[in-house]
Amino acid sequence: MSMGDRLFEYGNFLFLTLLMVVTLYPFLNTLAVSFNNASDSIRGGIYLMPRIWTLENYKYVLAEATIFHATMISVLRTVIGTAVTVFCSAMVAYTISREEYVLRKFVTIAFILTMYINGGLIPNFLLIRDLGLIDSFWVYIFPGLIGVFNLIIIRSFIEGLPESILESARMDGAGEYRNFFSIVLPLSTPVLATVALFSGVYQWNQWFDVFLYNSSNVDLSTLQYELQKILQNSNASMTSKSASDAFANAGQQGSGVTPFAIRATMTIVASLPIIMVYPFLQKYFVKGMMVGGVKG
């Protein structure tokens, strides 16, 4: 190995190490604050390890009855929304990937235009209202049935599949539905897993649609929306009170928590499910993006 190659490897290792540190530090710092005594966290100086270990922050957050119900709604919308979005996007992608479909270019352009042209917030709200989706769980599912970006990725992947396989199936009497369910879907597992990850993260992190359409219905509130409300209350509390006032109030309440500690704890609670799922989809994510992003 030449000196230039060694220098490149060392430089690459150093760069990736620094990138890892910069990426991990905010999460590890938030994790440390969530496990640190809330009153002590006000003093600052918490970096990678808690100064005074405690589980009171998590006990306080998980003791809220709305958190468990909101979590179940978030899980439900993520599972259903991801499954429906992936399936519908795959069906449309297969349709517009067929050269014999005469409207494939028109339909593709029509979908792509929606990425650049949008009616705006008020027309979207009026449409949702006229469809009767206000105060309904399905407002989380129906508006996002087809993701155009996901559609393009899946279509590119399907177009890269050997056409001879589908032709052989047609010669054996298989129709388009049989080809789609028995051949295309199994072979498209990597790209479907990639799209499922995109859709799952989107569904899990959504809170604005809850605010617009279901804010008056507590039974349909999601974990991220509850987190957003707590963050807003925490920010308002932190700006209206000094650190000493927050310290005194925490002592008077006897709960041993502060808005700053609650914010860190809620962030960890909301991020944990995605962190647990990602390692299982990583290999499909890498393969799906590489193959789905380049035709052939």
Side-chain angles (χ1 to χ4, degrees), residues 192-238:
L192 295 181
T194 301
V195 171
L197 180 61
F198 289 160
S199 179
V201 172
Y202 170 80
Q203 289 284 2
W204 181 261
N205 289 331
Q206 270 291 79
W207 64 268
F208 193 59
D209 54 358
V210 187
F211 170 73
L212 288 177
Y213 310 121
N214 289 334
S215 58
S216 60
N217 193 339
V218 181
D219 293 334
L220 294 176
S221 181
T222 62
L223 178 62
Q224 294 297 338
Y225 183 59
E226 294 298 320
L227 170 61
Q228 180 65 21
K229 291 194 296 184
I230 292 177
L231 289 178
Q232 289 179 345
N233 294 335
S234 299
N235 292 333
S237 177
M238 293 296 288

mmCIF file of all heavy atoms in Angstrom, residues 192-238:
data_model
loop_
_atom_site.group_PDB
_atom_site.id
_atom_site.type_symbol
_atom_site.label_atom_id
_atom_site.label_comp_id
_atom_site.label_asym_id
_atom_site.label_seq_id
_atom_site.Cartn_x
_atom_site.Cartn_y
_atom_site.Cartn_z
ATOM 1 N N LEU A 192 -38.959 -2.079 -1.163
ATOM 2 C CA LEU A 192 -40.162 -1.933 -0.337
ATOM 3 C C LEU A 192 -39.791 -1.693 1.120
ATOM 4 O O LEU A 192 -40.456 -0.920 1.811
ATOM 5 C CB LEU A 192 -41.049 -3.174 -0.466
ATOM 6 C CG LEU A 192 -41.644 -3.439 -1.847
ATOM 7 C CD1 LEU A 192 -42.514 -4.690 -1.824
ATOM 8 C CD2 LEU A 192 -42.450 -2.239 -2.329
ATOM 9 N N ALA A 193 -38.729 -2.356 1.589
ATOM 10 C CA ALA A 193 -38.266 -2.114 2.955
ATOM 11 C C ALA A 193 -37.737 -0.692 3.110
ATOM 12 O O ALA A 193 -37.940 -0.047 4.146
ATOM 13 C CB ALA A 193 -37.183 -3.124 3.333
ATOM 14 N N THR A 194 -37.075 -0.196 2.068
ATOM 15 C CA THR A 194 -36.583 1.188 2.094
ATOM 16 C C THR A 194 -37.733 2.178 2.173
ATOM 17 O O THR A 194 -37.728 3.105 2.986
ATOM 18 C CB THR A 194 -35.749 1.463 0.832
ATOM 19 O OG1 THR A 194 -34.660 0.542 0.777
ATOM 20 C CG2 THR A 194 -35.207 2.880 0.847
ATOM 21 N N VAL A 195 -38.739 1.978 1.334
ATOM 22 C CA VAL A 195 -39.906 2.854 1.341
ATOM 23 C C VAL A 195 -40.663 2.725 2.661
ATOM 24 O O VAL A 195 -41.179 3.720 3.186
ATOM 25 C CB VAL A 195 -40.815 2.527 0.142
ATOM 26 C CG1 VAL A 195 -42.135 3.274 0.237
ATOM 27 C CG2 VAL A 195 -40.110 2.874 -1.162
ATOM 28 N N ALA A 196 -40.720 1.520 3.205
ATOM 29 C CA ALA A 196 -41.382 1.323 4.489
ATOM 30 C C ALA A 196 -40.684 2.109 5.592
ATOM 31 O O ALA A 196 -41.336 2.679 6.479
ATOM 32 C CB ALA A 196 -41.421 -0.164 4.836
ATOM 33 N N LEU A 197 -39.356 2.168 5.533
ATOM 34 C CA LEU A 197 -38.615 2.953 6.525
ATOM 35 C C LEU A 197 -38.922 4.435 6.378
ATOM 36 O O LEU A 197 -39.166 5.130 7.379
ATOM 37 C CB LEU A 197 -37.116 2.702 6.366
ATOM 38 C CG LEU A 197 -36.198 3.453 7.329
ATOM 39 C CD1 LEU A 197 -36.497 3.053 8.773
ATOM 40 C CD2 LEU A 197 -34.734 3.205 6.997
ATOM 41 N N PHE A 198 -38.908 4.936 5.139
ATOM 42 C CA PHE A 198 -39.248 6.341 4.904
ATOM 43 C C PHE A 198 -40.645 6.662 5.428
ATOM 44 O O PHE A 198 -40.851 7.637 6.157
ATOM 45 C CB PHE A 198 -39.183 6.661 3.408
ATOM 46 C CG PHE A 198 -37.797 6.694 2.837
ATOM 47 C CD1 PHE A 198 -37.588 6.549 1.479
ATOM 48 C CD2 PHE A 198 -36.700 6.868 3.654
ATOM 49 C CE1 PHE A 198 -36.307 6.580 0.952
ATOM 50 C CE2 PHE A 198 -35.413 6.901 3.141
ATOM 51 C CZ PHE A 198 -35.225 6.753 1.780
ATOM 52 N N SER A 199 -41.601 5.822 5.035
ATOM 53 C CA SER A 199 -42.992 6.066 5.415
ATOM 54 C C SER A 199 -43.190 5.919 6.912
ATOM 55 O O SER A 199 -43.933 6.691 7.528
ATOM 56 C CB SER A 199 -43.909 5.095 4.662
ATOM 57 O OG SER A 199 -45.254 5.289 5.030
ATOM 58 N N GLY A 200 -42.532 4.931 7.518
ATOM 59 C CA GLY A 200 -42.678 4.721 8.949
ATOM 60 C C GLY A 200 -42.153 5.889 9.765
ATOM 61 O O GLY A 200 -42.792 6.331 10.728
ATOM 62 N N VAL A 201 -40.988 6.404 9.381
ATOM 63 C CA VAL A 201 -40.426 7.566 10.086
ATOM 64 C C VAL A 201 -41.335 8.781 9.923
ATOM 65 O O VAL A 201 -41.569 9.540 10.873
ATOM 66 C CB VAL A 201 -39.008 7.871 9.565
ATOM 67 C CG1 VAL A 201 -38.496 9.181 10.137
ATOM 68 C CG2 VAL A 201 -38.062 6.733 9.937
ATOM 69 N N TYR A 202 -41.862 8.962 8.710
ATOM 70 C CA TYR A 202 -42.771 10.085 8.462
ATOM 71 C C TYR A 202 -44.023 9.970 9.327
ATOM 72 O O TYR A 202 -44.427 10.939 9.987
ATOM 73 C CB TYR A 202 -43.139 10.122 6.981
ATOM 74 C CG TYR A 202 -44.262 11.088 6.650
ATOM 75 C CD1 TYR A 202 -44.008 12.454 6.519
ATOM 76 C CD2 TYR A 202 -45.567 10.633 6.483
ATOM 77 C CE1 TYR A 202 -45.030 13.334 6.226
ATOM 78 C CE2 TYR A 202 -46.590 11.513 6.190
ATOM 79 C CZ TYR A 202 -46.317 12.859 6.067
ATOM 80 O OH TYR A 202 -47.343 13.735 5.782
ATOM 81 N N GLN A 203 -44.645 8.803 9.335
ATOM 82 C CA GLN A 203 -45.874 8.618 10.111
ATOM 83 C C GLN A 203 -45.610 8.779 11.605
ATOM 84 O O GLN A 203 -46.416 9.372 12.331
ATOM 85 C CB GLN A 203 -46.468 7.229 9.824
ATOM 86 C CG GLN A 203 -47.065 7.063 8.440
ATOM 87 C CD GLN A 203 -48.423 7.737 8.315
ATOM 88 O OE1 GLN A 203 -48.930 8.363 9.232
ATOM 89 N NE2 GLN A 203 -49.027 7.603 7.143
ATOM 90 N N TRP A 204 -44.508 8.243 12.073
ATOM 91 C CA TRP A 204 -44.208 8.303 13.503
ATOM 92 C C TRP A 204 -43.941 9.733 13.969
ATOM 93 O O TRP A 204 -44.311 10.115 15.080
ATOM 94 C CB TRP A 204 -43.012 7.413 13.818
ATOM 95 C CG TRP A 204 -42.644 7.386 15.268
ATOM 96 C CD1 TRP A 204 -41.651 8.088 15.889
ATOM 97 C CD2 TRP A 204 -43.293 6.623 16.305
ATOM 98 N NE1 TRP A 204 -41.632 7.809 17.226
ATOM 99 C CE2 TRP A 204 -42.626 6.919 17.511
ATOM 100 C CE3 TRP A 204 -44.363 5.738 16.315
ATOM 101 C CZ2 TRP A 204 -43.001 6.340 18.728
ATOM 102 C CZ3 TRP A 204 -44.735 5.168 17.523
ATOM 103 C CH2 TRP A 204 -44.060 5.463 18.704
ATOM 104 N N ASN A 205 -43.311 10.523 13.134
ATOM 105 C CA ASN A 205 -42.920 11.879 13.532
ATOM 106 C C ASN A 205 -43.996 12.928 13.276
ATOM 107 O O ASN A 205 -43.833 14.080 13.693
ATOM 108 C CB ASN A 205 -41.640 12.303 12.802
ATOM 109 C CG ASN A 205 -40.421 11.563 13.311
ATOM 110 O OD1 ASN A 205 -40.366 11.162 14.469
ATOM 111 N ND2 ASN A 205 -39.432 11.385 12.449
ATOM 112 N N GLN A 206 -45.072 12.565 12.587
ATOM 113 C CA GLN A 206 -46.087 13.548 12.245
ATOM 114 C C GLN A 206 -46.850 14.031 13.487
ATOM 115 O O GLN A 206 -47.232 13.234 14.335
ATOM 116 C CB GLN A 206 -47.082 12.959 11.253
ATOM 117 C CG GLN A 206 -46.686 13.159 9.806
ATOM 118 C CD GLN A 206 -46.769 14.602 9.364
ATOM 119 O OE1 GLN A 206 -45.886 15.413 9.650
ATOM 120 N NE2 GLN A 206 -47.826 14.948 8.689
ATOM 121 N N TRP A 207 -47.053 15.335 13.550
ATOM 122 C CA TRP A 207 -47.890 15.915 14.603
ATOM 123 C C TRP A 207 -48.758 17.054 14.064
ATOM 124 O O TRP A 207 -49.799 17.377 14.644
ATOM 125 C CB TRP A 207 -47.034 16.452 15.750
ATOM 126 C CG TRP A 207 -46.141 17.603 15.340
ATOM 127 C CD1 TRP A 207 -44.865 17.515 14.894
ATOM 128 C CD2 TRP A 207 -46.475 18.995 15.347
ATOM 129 N NE1 TRP A 207 -44.376 18.771 14.599
ATOM 130 C CE2 TRP A 207 -45.347 19.703 14.885
ATOM 131 C CE3 TRP A 207 -47.612 19.706 15.700
ATOM 132 C CZ2 TRP A 207 -45.329 21.077 14.762
ATOM 133 C CZ3 TRP A 207 -47.590 21.095 15.577
ATOM 134 C CH2 TRP A 207 -46.457 21.764 15.121
ATOM 135 N N PHE A 208 -48.353 17.642 12.924
ATOM 136 C CA PHE A 208 -49.062 18.819 12.431
ATOM 137 C C PHE A 208 -50.468 18.468 11.959
ATOM 138 O O PHE A 208 -51.399 19.259 12.128
ATOM 139 C CB PHE A 208 -48.264 19.474 11.306
ATOM 140 C CG PHE A 208 -48.761 20.852 10.947
ATOM 141 C CD1 PHE A 208 -48.789 21.865 11.892
ATOM 142 C CD2 PHE A 208 -49.212 21.135 9.672
ATOM 143 C CE1 PHE A 208 -49.251 23.129 11.575
ATOM 144 C CE2 PHE A 208 -49.671 22.397 9.343
ATOM 145 C CZ PHE A 208 -49.692 23.405 10.293
ATOM 146 N N ASP A 209 -50.646 17.302 11.341
ATOM 147 C CA ASP A 209 -51.987 16.915 10.910
ATOM 148 C C ASP A 209 -52.900 16.656 12.105
ATOM 149 O O ASP A 209 -54.111 16.871 12.033
ATOM 150 C CB ASP A 209 -51.930 15.699 9.987
ATOM 151 C CG ASP A 209 -51.171 14.538 10.593
ATOM 152 O OD1 ASP A 209 -50.648 14.673 11.707
ATOM 153 O OD2 ASP A 209 -51.089 13.476 9.923
ATOM 154 N N VAL A 210 -52.317 16.198 13.217
ATOM 155 C CA VAL A 210 -53.114 16.050 14.444
ATOM 156 C C VAL A 210 -53.578 17.412 14.926
ATOM 157 O O VAL A 210 -54.738 17.592 15.326
ATOM 158 C CB VAL A 210 -52.288 15.346 15.538
ATOM 159 C CG1 VAL A 210 -53.164 15.035 16.742
ATOM 160 C CG2 VAL A 210 -51.657 14.076 15.008
ATOM 161 N N PHE A 211 -52.688 18.375 14.869
ATOM 162 C CA PHE A 211 -53.015 19.733 15.297
ATOM 163 C C PHE A 211 -54.104 20.340 14.411
ATOM 164 O O PHE A 211 -55.015 21.024 14.906
ATOM 165 C CB PHE A 211 -51.753 20.595 15.254
ATOM 166 C CG PHE A 211 -52.000 22.064 15.439
ATOM 167 C CD1 PHE A 211 -52.329 22.578 16.684
ATOM 168 C CD2 PHE A 211 -51.907 22.936 14.366
ATOM 169 C CE1 PHE A 211 -52.566 23.936 16.855
ATOM 170 C CE2 PHE A 211 -52.130 24.291 14.525
ATOM 171 C CZ PHE A 211 -52.471 24.795 15.777
ATOM 172 N N LEU A 212 -54.053 20.082 13.113
ATOM 173 C CA LEU A 212 -55.016 20.680 12.189
ATOM 174 C C LEU A 212 -56.387 20.033 12.268
ATOM 175 O O LEU A 212 -57.407 20.727 12.264
ATOM 176 C CB LEU A 212 -54.491 20.572 10.749
ATOM 177 C CG LEU A 212 -53.315 21.465 10.366
ATOM 178 C CD1 LEU A 212 -52.889 21.168 8.940
ATOM 179 C CD2 LEU A 212 -53.664 22.937 10.514
ATOM 180 N N TYR A 213 -56.423 18.700 12.338
ATOM 181 C CA TYR A 213 -57.680 17.992 12.132
ATOM 182 C C TYR A 213 -58.243 17.304 13.375
ATOM 183 O O TYR A 213 -59.452 17.083 13.449
ATOM 184 C CB TYR A 213 -57.502 16.934 11.029
ATOM 185 C CG TYR A 213 -56.869 17.476 9.775
ATOM 186 C CD1 TYR A 213 -55.675 16.948 9.276
ATOM 187 C CD2 TYR A 213 -57.457 18.525 9.077
ATOM 188 C CE1 TYR A 213 -55.097 17.450 8.120
ATOM 189 C CE2 TYR A 213 -56.883 19.029 7.923
ATOM 190 C CZ TYR A 213 -55.694 18.491 7.454
ATOM 191 O OH TYR A 213 -55.126 18.995 6.311
ATOM 192 N N ASN A 214 -57.393 16.958 14.335
ATOM 193 C CA ASN A 214 -57.874 16.174 15.480
ATOM 194 C C ASN A 214 -57.447 16.755 16.827
ATOM 195 O O ASN A 214 -57.429 16.033 17.824
ATOM 196 C CB ASN A 214 -57.363 14.728 15.373
ATOM 197 C CG ASN A 214 -58.028 13.953 14.262
ATOM 198 O OD1 ASN A 214 -59.149 14.258 13.863
ATOM 199 N ND2 ASN A 214 -57.338 12.944 13.749
ATOM 200 N N SER A 215 -57.110 18.018 16.861
ATOM 201 C CA SER A 215 -56.638 18.600 18.121
ATOM 202 C C SER A 215 -57.712 18.629 19.198
ATOM 203 O O SER A 215 -57.400 18.638 20.396
ATOM 204 C CB SER A 215 -56.122 20.025 17.873
ATOM 205 O OG SER A 215 -57.151 20.841 17.311
ATOM 206 N N SER A 216 -58.979 18.630 18.805
ATOM 207 C CA SER A 216 -60.066 18.667 19.785
ATOM 208 C C SER A 216 -60.467 17.272 20.264
ATOM 209 O O SER A 216 -61.286 17.145 21.175
ATOM 210 C CB SER A 216 -61.303 19.356 19.177
ATOM 211 O OG SER A 216 -61.757 18.663 18.027
ATOM 212 N N ASN A 217 -59.893 16.244 19.663
ATOM 213 C CA ASN A 217 -60.234 14.858 20.013
ATOM 214 C C ASN A 217 -59.036 14.217 20.701
ATOM 215 O O ASN A 217 -58.073 13.810 20.046
ATOM 216 C CB ASN A 217 -60.624 14.067 18.763
ATOM 217 C CG ASN A 217 -61.274 12.745 19.095
ATOM 218 O OD1 ASN A 217 -61.106 12.215 20.190
ATOM 219 N ND2 ASN A 217 -62.024 12.203 18.153
ATOM 220 N N VAL A 218 -59.093 14.125 22.018
ATOM 221 C CA VAL A 218 -57.979 13.574 22.781
ATOM 222 C C VAL A 218 -57.745 12.109 22.452
ATOM 223 O O VAL A 218 -56.613 11.621 22.490
ATOM 224 C CB VAL A 218 -58.230 13.760 24.295
ATOM 225 C CG1 VAL A 218 -57.069 13.202 25.105
ATOM 226 C CG2 VAL A 218 -58.448 15.226 24.620
ATOM 227 N N ASP A 219 -58.792 11.394 22.103
ATOM 228 C CA ASP A 219 -58.672 9.963 21.813
ATOM 229 C C ASP A 219 -57.861 9.682 20.562
ATOM 230 O O ASP A 219 -57.398 8.555 20.359
ATOM 231 C CB ASP A 219 -60.059 9.334 21.674
ATOM 232 C CG ASP A 219 -60.836 9.333 22.979
ATOM 233 O OD1 ASP A 219 -60.173 9.339 24.050
ATOM 234 O OD2 ASP A 219 -62.081 9.342 22.945
ATOM 235 N N LEU A 220 -57.687 10.690 19.685
ATOM 236 C CA LEU A 220 -56.931 10.508 18.450
ATOM 237 C C LEU A 220 -55.590 11.241 18.484
ATOM 238 O O LEU A 220 -54.924 11.364 17.454
ATOM 239 C CB LEU A 220 -57.754 10.986 17.254
ATOM 240 C CG LEU A 220 -59.009 10.174 16.947
ATOM 241 C CD1 LEU A 220 -59.790 10.797 15.800
ATOM 242 C CD2 LEU A 220 -58.655 8.726 16.619
ATOM 243 N N SER A 221 -55.212 11.718 19.648
ATOM 244 C CA SER A 221 -53.929 12.409 19.782
ATOM 245 C C SER A 221 -52.786 11.408 19.700
ATOM 246 O O SER A 221 -52.888 10.272 20.167
ATOM 247 C CB SER A 221 -53.872 13.153 21.118
ATOM 248 O OG SER A 221 -52.649 13.855 21.255
ATOM 249 N N THR A 222 -51.677 11.818 19.085
ATOM 250 C CA THR A 222 -50.520 10.945 18.925
ATOM 251 C C THR A 222 -49.410 11.331 19.892
ATOM 252 O O THR A 222 -49.433 12.411 20.500
ATOM 253 C CB THR A 222 -49.981 11.012 17.489
ATOM 254 O OG1 THR A 222 -49.541 12.355 17.214
ATOM 255 C CG2 THR A 222 -51.061 10.620 16.487
ATOM 256 N N LEU A 223 -48.438 10.452 20.012
ATOM 257 C CA LEU A 223 -47.325 10.703 20.928
ATOM 258 C C LEU A 223 -46.558 11.955 20.533
ATOM 259 O O LEU A 223 -46.176 12.760 21.389
ATOM 260 C CB LEU A 223 -46.393 9.490 20.941
ATOM 261 C CG LEU A 223 -45.144 9.614 21.820
ATOM 262 C CD1 LEU A 223 -45.520 9.793 23.287
ATOM 263 C CD2 LEU A 223 -44.247 8.398 21.647
ATOM 264 N N GLN A 224 -46.333 12.144 19.243
ATOM 265 C CA GLN A 224 -45.572 13.316 18.807
ATOM 266 C C GLN A 224 -46.328 14.611 19.078
ATOM 267 O O GLN A 224 -45.713 15.640 19.385
ATOM 268 C CB GLN A 224 -45.251 13.196 17.311
ATOM 269 C CG GLN A 224 -44.321 12.056 16.962
ATOM 270 C CD GLN A 224 -42.954 12.210 17.580
ATOM 271 O OE1 GLN A 224 -42.539 13.313 17.922
ATOM 272 N NE2 GLN A 224 -42.237 11.118 17.735
ATOM 273 N N TYR A 225 -47.645 14.567 18.972
ATOM 274 C CA TYR A 225 -48.413 15.770 19.275
ATOM 275 C C TYR A 225 -48.362 16.081 20.764
ATOM 276 O O TYR A 225 -48.245 17.252 21.161
ATOM 277 C CB TYR A 225 -49.862 15.591 18.812
ATOM 278 C CG TYR A 225 -50.722 16.822 19.023
ATOM 279 C CD1 TYR A 225 -50.378 18.032 18.432
ATOM 280 C CD2 TYR A 225 -51.866 16.775 19.819
ATOM 281 C CE1 TYR A 225 -51.148 19.158 18.618
ATOM 282 C CE2 TYR A 225 -52.645 17.903 20.009
ATOM 283 C CZ TYR A 225 -52.287 19.091 19.409
ATOM 284 O OH TYR A 225 -53.047 20.213 19.600
ATOM 285 N N GLU A 226 -48.458 15.044 21.596
ATOM 286 C CA GLU A 226 -48.324 15.264 23.034
ATOM 287 C C GLU A 226 -46.930 15.791 23.365
ATOM 288 O O GLU A 226 -46.766 16.664 24.224
ATOM 289 C CB GLU A 226 -48.582 13.953 23.788
ATOM 290 C CG GLU A 226 -50.004 13.435 23.674
ATOM 291 C CD GLU A 226 -51.017 14.410 24.256
ATOM 292 O OE1 GLU A 226 -50.739 15.014 25.312
ATOM 293 O OE2 GLU A 226 -52.087 14.596 23.637
ATOM 294 N N LEU A 227 -45.931 15.258 22.679
ATOM 295 C CA LEU A 227 -44.571 15.757 22.865
ATOM 296 C C LEU A 227 -44.464 17.214 22.466
ATOM 297 O O LEU A 227 -43.837 18.026 23.161
ATOM 298 C CB LEU A 227 -43.596 14.914 22.034
ATOM 299 C CG LEU A 227 -42.153 15.432 21.926
ATOM 300 C CD1 LEU A 227 -41.492 15.503 23.292
ATOM 301 C CD2 LEU A 227 -41.343 14.556 20.990
ATOM 302 N N GLN A 228 -45.085 17.565 21.348
ATOM 303 C CA GLN A 228 -45.049 18.954 20.890
ATOM 304 C C GLN A 228 -45.695 19.886 21.899
ATOM 305 O O GLN A 228 -45.181 20.985 22.167
ATOM 306 C CB GLN A 228 -45.758 19.057 19.536
ATOM 307 C CG GLN A 228 -45.786 20.455 18.939
ATOM 308 C CD GLN A 228 -44.413 20.965 18.582
ATOM 309 O OE1 GLN A 228 -43.485 20.175 18.417
ATOM 310 N NE2 GLN A 228 -44.267 22.273 18.459
ATOM 311 N N LYS A 229 -46.810 19.470 22.483
ATOM 312 C CA LYS A 229 -47.468 20.305 23.487
ATOM 313 C C LYS A 229 -46.590 20.468 24.715
ATOM 314 O O LYS A 229 -46.496 21.569 25.283
ATOM 315 C CB LYS A 229 -48.819 19.696 23.871
ATOM 316 C CG LYS A 229 -49.862 19.754 22.768
ATOM 317 C CD LYS A 229 -51.255 19.454 23.288
ATOM 318 C CE LYS A 229 -51.371 18.062 23.812
ATOM 319 N NZ LYS A 229 -52.763 17.727 24.226
ATOM 320 N N ILE A 230 -45.944 19.389 25.127
ATOM 321 C CA ILE A 230 -45.061 19.473 26.298
ATOM 322 C C ILE A 230 -43.865 20.363 26.003
ATOM 323 O O ILE A 230 -43.434 21.157 26.844
ATOM 324 C CB ILE A 230 -44.610 18.064 26.722
ATOM 325 C CG1 ILE A 230 -45.803 17.286 27.272
ATOM 326 C CG2 ILE A 230 -43.503 18.128 27.768
ATOM 327 C CD1 ILE A 230 -45.495 15.863 27.663
ATOM 328 N N LEU A 231 -43.320 20.253 24.793
ATOM 329 C CA LEU A 231 -42.192 21.111 24.420
ATOM 330 C C LEU A 231 -42.594 22.586 24.412
ATOM 331 O O LEU A 231 -41.838 23.450 24.865
ATOM 332 C CB LEU A 231 -41.663 20.703 23.055
ATOM 333 C CG LEU A 231 -40.922 19.368 22.971
ATOM 334 C CD1 LEU A 231 -40.505 19.082 21.543
ATOM 335 C CD2 LEU A 231 -39.714 19.361 23.885
ATOM 336 N N GLN A 232 -43.775 22.875 23.889
ATOM 337 C CA GLN A 232 -44.240 24.258 23.887
ATOM 338 C C GLN A 232 -44.425 24.774 25.298
ATOM 339 O O GLN A 232 -44.024 25.907 25.622
ATOM 340 C CB GLN A 232 -45.542 24.360 23.103
ATOM 341 C CG GLN A 232 -45.391 24.184 21.605
ATOM 342 C CD GLN A 232 -46.708 24.276 20.874
ATOM 343 O OE1 GLN A 232 -47.777 24.202 21.467
ATOM 344 N NE2 GLN A 232 -46.653 24.419 19.557
ATOM 345 N N ASN A 233 -45.012 23.971 26.157
ATOM 346 C CA ASN A 233 -45.197 24.380 27.543
ATOM 347 C C ASN A 233 -43.854 24.549 28.248
ATOM 348 O O ASN A 233 -43.675 25.469 29.052
ATOM 349 C CB ASN A 233 -46.050 23.350 28.290
ATOM 350 C CG ASN A 233 -47.467 23.288 27.767
ATOM 351 O OD1 ASN A 233 -47.971 24.253 27.192
ATOM 352 N ND2 ASN A 233 -48.115 22.142 27.931
ATOM 353 N N SER A 234 -42.918 23.665 27.927
ATOM 354 C CA SER A 234 -41.597 23.753 28.538
ATOM 355 C C SER A 234 -40.869 25.012 28.088
ATOM 356 O O SER A 234 -40.263 25.720 28.902
ATOM 357 C CB SER A 234 -40.770 22.514 28.171
ATOM 358 O OG SER A 234 -41.382 21.344 28.634
ATOM 359 N N ASN A 235 -40.935 25.307 26.791
ATOM 360 C CA ASN A 235 -40.271 26.511 26.286
ATOM 361 C C ASN A 235 -40.882 27.773 26.880
ATOM 362 O O ASN A 235 -40.170 28.714 27.236
ATOM 363 C CB ASN A 235 -40.365 26.552 24.758
ATOM 364 C CG ASN A 235 -39.540 25.466 24.104
ATOM 365 O OD1 ASN A 235 -38.549 25.011 24.676
ATOM 366 N ND2 ASN A 235 -39.940 25.040 22.921
ATOM 367 N N ALA A 236 -42.216 27.779 26.980
ATOM 368 C CA ALA A 236 -42.875 28.940 27.580
ATOM 369 C C ALA A 236 -42.476 29.102 29.035
ATOM 370 O O ALA A 236 -42.250 30.220 29.518
ATOM 371 C CB ALA A 236 -44.391 28.797 27.461
ATOM 372 N N SER A 237 -42.368 27.987 29.735
ATOM 373 C CA SER A 237 -41.986 28.041 31.146
ATOM 374 C C SER A 237 -40.551 28.507 31.315
ATOM 375 O O SER A 237 -40.242 29.310 32.198
ATOM 376 C CB SER A 237 -42.168 26.662 31.787
ATOM 377 O OG SER A 237 -41.741 26.672 33.128
ATOM 378 N N MET A 238 -39.665 28.026 30.425
ATOM 379 C CA MET A 238 -38.258 28.388 30.538
ATOM 380 C C MET A 238 -38.018 29.853 30.200
ATOM 381 O O MET A 238 -37.114 30.485 30.750
ATOM 382 C CB MET A 238 -37.420 27.499 29.616
ATOM 383 C CG MET A 238 -37.391 26.037 30.046
ATOM 384 S SD MET A 238 -36.613 25.757 31.637
ATOM 385 C CE MET A 238 -34.904 26.053 31.205
#
